[in-house]
Amino acid sequence: MKERRMVPKADFRSYYGRPIVRPPVWRHDIAAYLFTGGLAAGSALLAAGGDATGRPALRRAGRTTALGALLASGYFLVNDLGRPERFHHMLRVAKPTSPMSVGTWILSAFGAAAGVAAVAEAAPLLPGLARRALPPLGTAGQYGAAALAPALATYTAVLLADTATPSWHAAYPELPFVFAGSALASGAGVGLIAAPVEQAGPARRMAVLGAAMELYGAHRVETGKGILSEPYAQGRPGRLLRAGRALTAAGVAGAVLGRRSRVVSALSGLSLLTASLATRFGIFEGGVASAKDPKYTVVPQRERLATQLAGPQSPAGSRGLTGLTGSTGPTGSTGSTGPLAS
Amino acid sequence: MGENSLYGPLDPAADAGYVDAPPRMGFFTDTSVCIGCKACEVACKEWNAVPDDGFDLLGHSYDNTGGLSANSWRHVAFIEQPAKAVPEVIDVFEAAGTTASPQFLGMPGKDLPGRTPDAPRTDFRWLMMSNVCKHCTHAGCLDVCPTGALFRTEFGTVVVQEDICNGCGYCIPACPYGVIDQRKDDGRAWKCTMCYDRIGDGLTPACAKACPTQSIQYGELDELRGRARHRVEKLHEQGVTEARLYGHDPADGVGGDGAFFLLLDEPEVYGLPPDPIVPTRELPKMWKRAGLAGLAMAAAVVVSFLGGKP
Ligand code: SF4
Ligand code: SF4
């Protein structure tokens, strides 16, 4: 209903109001993966920082969460495939023009490293040789995973932006910041939940910095893209993104003000994790909504063409519309009787 | 990867690494002679064994297919329009009645054809267009496919290998024309192959072969482009000033389409994007932004752990 009322407001033509670009067929698995992938990255960074600065609680929580989030990611990604049993076809090629191919390799490398790091946490329970050999391997894996984490957290932004989905594509400059910030905040959330207050200091600062990045990026995406910001403000995507913002703010406030209370810290952590989840779903669904309404394809492209035509020495038809000169359509021309009669 | 591999004019087969590739083949769909018979839709289904796409009555004029999809690789669009304001010099009813122009597309009469020679005509026109995959020079679908299922053929066309595709779905939002689609019960992505099996044997693709008015013309792309230019000129001479080409220009946002069109109205009226650009054009800039965000992220972690008190 809402769409119907919106159509006449923006002046554009279409084929029976049908979409032009095709909305993604991805299910909510992919939105969920945006969250779990970011969480894995954020946790890996938390683990590395915690280990490097002698905070075992952060290391332990970071390593195990990274593995858990990774397993969930793998499930979501494979489950969303039209042919899940062919998931390994992703590994046939390494293709720089495909962010999904690049991401597959990032995720695989990250997975191996983070997996070793998490398994090494169990070393004390293991016998003899394994007990001694695992920890150094785990440390190497932990730093390897941390080195890959920024790539893991941001490639998904490129993945969404490298589509014809209007509101994703338009958001390409800021989307990586939204996702990086969201990943940091969720990693910080894990630290706040798992670590005692005296070890959680870095997690608090991570929460503040991550939230700042995320809020800056999301603000730009939600307000700076003209008509293409609209899908992020309306309906369910709008509600999700607003909820994400509120929860982020609450989480940061709790992390900073509640630094003496384990309970408040943990609640703040939970709030940050939920915020990250809501933001990812909001961004995902906003893009889908922008693909479903032809307005978001036609109007910006028309504006682009109009700017081109108005620009200096740019002949009409420079962008594939030869014959437009002097005639903008049937009503703009004279001397012709019917559609095809001469 | 050449200089224009992501954007700009390019010979796609050569860029894909073919040596001595045959000439690039394409479709020129001249909508001004389309009669909406849908022979192309049927021929395509027959030849390619494309499954049924359901029995829908859409209420969109004579179009009950709706659009291109995994199970419709040709789609005939029907647009009903009030014809343009009639200039006084020519009376459209008279013209239709007297010149016996076979091209005039009025509303069908209730009577048998020819029984009432001066059957009333309405001030109305139909636009019909057989849409198809554009086999873009810079194909968004092909760029993003992570499995290599989509590939560039020696004829410069874009084809999915059904034994490789794992249904990741990435190609679907990456197409600026909304062409390629996932087949629901099968999970894989499907679209027009420009009858790769036929053209390899020197045959004409099924749709072009079946088209009774040569609205769909198949041939060497360079030759088709020349032919199309002449056709537009001729139509302009005849007063059809709204005729324009779409997708013919190698300098456009996708480097020119392998399947291009002559249209009689704005592209969006036919469900085509007015100014499509391959998403990958921005890919280097996207990675740059992602790199920046990644660095900011790493810096934030360093600051978090090294700055401040516990
Ligand atoms: S029209 Fe779409 S599906 Fe066809 S080649 Fe171009 S990007 Fe691929
Ligand atoms: S759905 Fe198939 S053809 Fe499309 S991008 Fe994925 S693997 Fe390639």
Side-chain angles (χ1 to χ4, degrees), chain A residues 13-16 18 20-23 25-26 45-46 49-50 53 55 58 81-83 86-87 89-90 92-93 95-102 150 153-155 158-159 161-165 169 172-173 176-177 180 183-184 198 201-202 205-206 209 213 298 301-302 304-305 317-324 327-330 333 335-337 339-340 342, chain B residues 7 32 60-61 63 66 68-69 77-79 81 84 87 90 105 125 142-147 162-168 170 172-173 175-182 186-188 238-239 241-242 244-246 248-249 253 264-269 271 273-277 279-280 282-283 285-287 289-290 293-294 297 300-301 304-305 307 309-310:
Chain A
R13 302 166 79 192
S14 74
Y15 185 65
Y16 300 101
R18 298 180 70 92
I20 291 185
V21 296
R22 195 174 286 283
V25 292
W26 294 327
L45 288 168
L46 186 80
T53 59
R55 292 180 171 90
L58 291 185
L81 294 177
R83 285 290 172 104
R86 290 186 177 177
F87 73 93
H89 287 196
M90 296 280 186
R92 287 176 77 240
V93 290
K95 201 168 150 185
T97 61
S98 168
M100 192 181 281
S101 175
V102 174
T154 53
Y155 95 84
V158 181
L159 180 94
D162 191 17
T163 59
T165 305
H169 190 75
Y172 83 80
F177 290 91
L184 280 177
E198 60 281 6
R205 287 187 286 274
M206 233 168 100
L209 293 172
M213 267 168 88
V298 174
Q301 294 192 11
R302 274 284 154 211
R304 194 158 69 205
L305 283 171
S318 67
R319 207 21 105 44
L321 289 166
T322 306
L324 208 59
S327 156
T328 49
S333 56
S336 155
T337 59
L340 295 166
S342 45
Chain B
Y7 189 70
S32 70
H60 300 167
S61 187
D63 176 10
L68 294 173
S69 71
F78 288 75
I79 298 119
Q81 285 183 336
K84 71 191 79 178
I90 303 158
L105 302 168
R125 74 168 178 170
L142 170 57
D143 283 343
V144 304
C145 174
T147 62
E162 63 216 46
D163 54 339
I164 304 291
C165 172
N166 68 3
C168 75
Y170 199 6
I172 290 153
C175 167
Y177 301 93
V179 170
I180 193 165
D181 183 23
Q182 187 177 42
D186 162 294
R188 291 172 295 180
Q238 293 175 349
T241 47
E242 68 270 28
R244 86 267 330 250
L245 295 179
Y246 175 83
H248 63 297
D249 184 357
L264 297 175
D265 202 340
E266 308 287 2
E268 58 266 39
V269 171
D275 184 28
I277 291 182
T280 329
E282 259 76 57
L283 190 59
K285 278 188 265 170
M286 292 179 194
W287 282 123
R289 295 296 292 182
M297 197 178 172
V301 173
S304 300
F305 279 92
K309 313 175 292 289

Side-chain angles (χ1 to χ4, degrees), chain B residues 133-136 138-142 158 174-180 191:
Chain B
C133 166
K134 317 297 177 290
H135 295 277
C136 311
H138 298 288
C141 62
L142 170 57
V158 178
C175 167
Y177 301 93
V179 170
I180 193 165
K191 71 169 193 75

Side-chain angles (χ1 to χ4, degrees), chain A residues 251-280:
Chain A
V252 168
V256 173
L257 302 176
R259 69 171 74 90
R260 284 177 218 291
S261 157
R262 181 79 200 249
V263 177
V264 176
S265 294
L267 286 175
S268 316
L270 198 63
S271 182
L272 289 171
L273 285 168
T274 323
S276 176
L277 190 66
T279 303
R280 304 307 182 117

Side-chain angles (χ1 to χ4, degrees), chain B residues 48-234:
Chain B
N48 293 300
V50 178
D52 172 24
D53 46 8
F55 183 74
D56 297 320
L57 291 173
L58 302 176
H60 300 167
S61 187
Y62 282 84
D63 176 10
N64 290 311
T65 306
L68 294 173
S69 71
N71 296 341
S72 302
W73 300 353
R74 272 274 176 193
H75 163 242
V76 182
F78 288 75
I79 298 119
E80 300 180 9
Q81 285 183 336
K84 71 191 79 178
V86 182
E88 284 139 82
V89 268
I90 303 158
D91 180 332
V92 70
F93 300 111
E94 203 178 57
T98 55
T99 58
S101 160
Q103 290 164 313
F104 182 77
L105 302 168
M107 271 295 255
K110 283 195 279 306
D111 220 340
L112 285 177
R115 180 164 294 170
T116 36
D118 51 352
R121 301 282 191 172
T122 53
D123 187 10
F124 168 92
R125 74 168 178 170
W126 257 322
L127 300 178
M128 285 160 273
M129 179 199 70
S130 178
N131 196 8
V132 72
C133 166
K134 317 297 177 290
H135 295 277
C136 311
T137 302
H138 298 288
C141 62
L142 170 57
D143 283 343
V144 304
C145 174
T147 62
L150 274 156
F151 79 110
R152 178 78 62 184
T153 73
E154 64 273 36
F155 303 104
T157 56
V158 178
V159 174
V160 194
Q161 301 171 82
E162 63 216 46
D163 54 339
I164 304 291
C165 172
N166 68 3
C168 75
Y170 199 6
C171 50
I172 290 153
C175 167
Y177 301 93
V179 170
I180 193 165
D181 183 23
Q182 187 177 42
R183 192 173 284 165
K184 293 286 163 293
D185 53 354
D186 162 294
R188 291 172 295 180
W190 298 88
K191 71 169 193 75
C192 160
T193 68
M194 207 181 273
C195 287
Y196 189 40
D197 50 349
R198 291 176 63 92
I199 67 178
D201 275 348
L203 298 173
T204 299
C207 55
K209 188 85 186 168
C211 177
T213 64
Q214 296 192 353
S215 172
I216 302 175
Q217 301 174 30
Y218 163 78
E220 292 182 18
L221 191 58
D222 284 337
E223 205 256 301
L224 291 177
R225 282 175 177 159
R227 215 187 283 175
R229 254 193 313 277
H230 285 129
R231 176 68 183 153
V232 175
E233 276 163 25
K234 195 151 158 248

